Amino acid sequence: KCGDSDDAKLYLEKGLNIREMLTKEADSVEAWMDLSYSYGQLEALCRSCGDLNCAQRSMEKALSAAEMPIRKADTIEKRRTLASEFEKMKYKGDVSKQAYEKAVSIREALVQETGATEDMRALLACYGEKKAFFTWNGLEDRAHAEKELAILEMLVQETGDEEDYGKLSEYYLRLSKMCNKSHDYAHAREYLQKKLTLDRLPNREIGDVIRQKIIADDYFNIGELVCDDQNDINAAQKYFDQTIAITEEMAQETNDAEHRVALASCYLSVGRKYKVFGLYDDAKRYYEKALAIQEALEQEKVPVKEIFDVFMRTYNPDQCYTVPSETYTALSFVCRRIGDLASARMY
């Protein structure tokens, strides 16, 4: 701090001599990583002083120290243990990022070598920690998600476990949204189609009601994407029709409040799409269908909170109206647009 680089270097080298002896004595992952970090400090000091030869030697020693635990792990079990040791250092200040990268490298190599379920799960858990150490742009975030997706696809083929199916379905949706955000509509639609295919598999261990709700959502998401991609709601209508057909069937079979509100939400979401495209007659038709359900539920004294909770679980809650008064406002707007002022005033 006083600008006396020579003395700083002298004390750092003395400290390193002691740390080298302690590291060889302890022979632990943490000790080798601390030694590697200290050599990194010496490298930075030498570089700032213009002593590039010393900087180069220090960097080589830093890399060698970090690799020492890996060289000593000569069996699969030892490498698994070593990866766990690196992962435990994720909160250890300055060496945490370097330790994390070592853990990922070991886990990826183990998956390639063994293809074992436990190694795939361990790698996924390791990937899940990555955002604690890195700040990315959209493309890097998508690349990382695609690596996670590849492991999940392998895991589903290996286990057929419903929890893994569910995670894979979520990842397809997540990646579709990433692609959509960057206007890569082709890949966004590809991921949604994969999600739909996965959700329709007959061997999925989920109830029929949950399956149908998920599939209805899939069709709606594809339709919405087609609207964004082609700027043509007519091309998307077949997907919206599928969503409506499935949701109507569920509402008719159960006649419970949740499925009826889900149907109202579906009508409102499709109606809003028509409103965005300026097709106000079609928007009015779907809004009126939704309103009929909402008014019936209100007469039955279904709590507004219950309706809102259902909206939060279906389709696009931020684009829907939770109570009839909000739908009245939406209907008044579209009626004014088509010149039906009497209906606009009534709503």
Side-chain angles (χ1 to χ4, degrees):
K1 288 183 179 179
C2 298
D4 192 344
S5 300
D6 290 335
D7 275 352
K9 181 180 173 185
L10 175 65
Y11 285 116
L12 191 50
E13 286 174 336
K14 285 183 177 183
L16 271 165
N17 288 335
I18 299 171
R19 176 156 280 178
E20 278 185 344
M21 291 187 290
L22 291 171
T23 298
K24 290 173 182 176
E25 187 178 310
D27 196 22
S28 68
V29 173
E30 188 170 340
W32 285 109
M33 292 300 290
D34 282 339
L35 179 61
S36 174
Y37 176 71
S38 295
Y39 272 122
Q41 288 181 308
L42 181 58
E43 184 271 340
L45 179 60
C46 292
R47 190 174 296 277
S48 68
C49 297
D51 189 349
L52 299 184
N53 288 330
C54 177
Q56 180 65 29
R57 288 194 303 271
S58 300
M59 177 55 69
E60 289 171 357
K61 287 184 178 181
L63 294 173
S64 177
E67 292 295 325
M68 182 59 73
I70 298 174
R71 288 198 294 271
K72 294 168 72 69
D74 54 2
T75 67
I76 287 174
E77 285 305 319
K78 285 182 179 179
R79 284 153 61 199
R80 286 172 177 160
T81 301
L82 178 60
S84 297
E85 290 298 314
F86 278 127
E87 287 164 353
K88 289 175 184 176
M89 298 174 65
K90 63 185 177 183
Y91 300 118
K92 194 177 185 321
D94 298 308
V95 300
S96 59
K97 182 176 177 180
Q98 187 181 10
Y100 171 80
E101 290 173 331
K102 295 294 181 188
V104 169
S105 177
I106 295 168
R107 295 291 188 198
E108 287 178 336
L110 283 169
V111 167
Q112 290 294 322
E113 185 175 340
T114 70
T117 300
E118 66 174 295
D119 290 321
M120 286 189 275
R121 292 198 189 283
L123 177 57
L124 274 176
C126 202
Y127 279 152
E129 299 285 345
K130 194 158 189 172
K131 285 194 175 181
F133 304 99
F134 297 89
T135 302
W136 301 324
N137 57 37
L139 290 176
E140 290 168 330
D141 197 21
R142 175 178 164 184
H144 179 65
E146 285 171 343
K147 290 175 73 173
E148 292 180 279
L149 178 65
I151 300 299
L152 266 174
E153 288 177 331
M154 292 168 58
L155 201 54
V156 164
Q157 290 179 358
E158 184 73 22
T159 68
D161 184 76
E162 176 53 41
E163 186 176 347
D164 294 328
Y165 272 120
K167 287 180 181 177
L168 181 57
S169 179
E170 290 172 6
Y171 261 79
Y172 282 140
L173 181 60
R174 177 183 167 191
L175 271 160
S176 174
K177 288 180 178 178
M178 287 182 181
C179 295
N180 193 7
K181 192 173 181 179
S182 61
H183 306 293
D184 183 359
Y185 298 120
H187 283 103
R189 186 169 178 178
E190 180 184 336
Y191 284 123
L192 284 180
Q193 291 287 0
K194 285 184 176 181
K195 183 180 187 302
L196 176 60
T197 300
L198 185 74
D199 292 336
R200 294 175 67 181
L201 288 176
N203 60 331
R204 293 285 303 276
E205 296 177 0
I206 52 178
D208 289 338
V209 172
I210 295 175
R211 181 201 301 276
Q212 289 299 90
K213 287 182 74 172
I214 292 172
I215 292 172
D217 283 344
D218 290 342
Y219 279 120
F220 184 85
N221 288 332
I222 294 172
E224 197 167 40
L225 181 64
V226 170
C227 281
D228 292 340
D229 181 16
Q230 301 181 22
N231 198 34
D232 181 6
I233 196 169
N234 292 323
Q237 185 59 53
K238 63 179 180 180
Y239 300 107
F240 293 147
D241 287 345
Q242 289 275 17
T243 300
I244 291 168
I246 293 169
T247 313
E248 283 178 340
E249 184 179 351
M250 288 192 296
Q252 289 169 4
E253 286 180 357
T254 64
N255 200 38
D256 61 24
E258 179 171 332
H259 289 97
R260 289 158 68 196
V261 173
L263 180 57
S265 173
C266 178
Y267 288 144
L268 288 165
S269 295
V270 175
R272 184 180 184 280
K273 280 293 175 186
Y274 275 105
K275 186 183 81 170
V276 169
F277 279 87
L279 300 172
Y280 299 114
D281 286 316
D282 293 304
K284 179 173 179 280
R285 177 162 50 91
Y286 285 109
Y287 282 160
E288 286 175 337
K289 286 185 176 184
L291 181 62
I293 297 171
Q294 288 178 320
E295 289 179 331
L297 288 168
E298 191 173 58
Q299 288 180 357
E300 295 168 23
K301 301 190 184 308
V302 175
V304 173
K305 183 181 184 306
E306 181 181 337
I307 296 176
F308 182 73
D309 287 345
V310 175
F311 271 112
M312 292 299 288
R313 298 198 300 272
T314 54
Y315 306 105
N316 297 301
D318 58 321
Q319 297 180 0
C320 297
Y321 313 111
T322 58
V323 290
S325 60
E326 294 172 330
T327 309
Y328 291 144
T329 301
L331 273 163
S332 178
F333 174 84
V334 296
C335 287
R336 285 199 306 273
R337 290 290 182 174
I338 61 179
D340 185 356
L341 300 183
S343 294
R345 183 173 182 177
M346 178 190 70
Y347 287 122

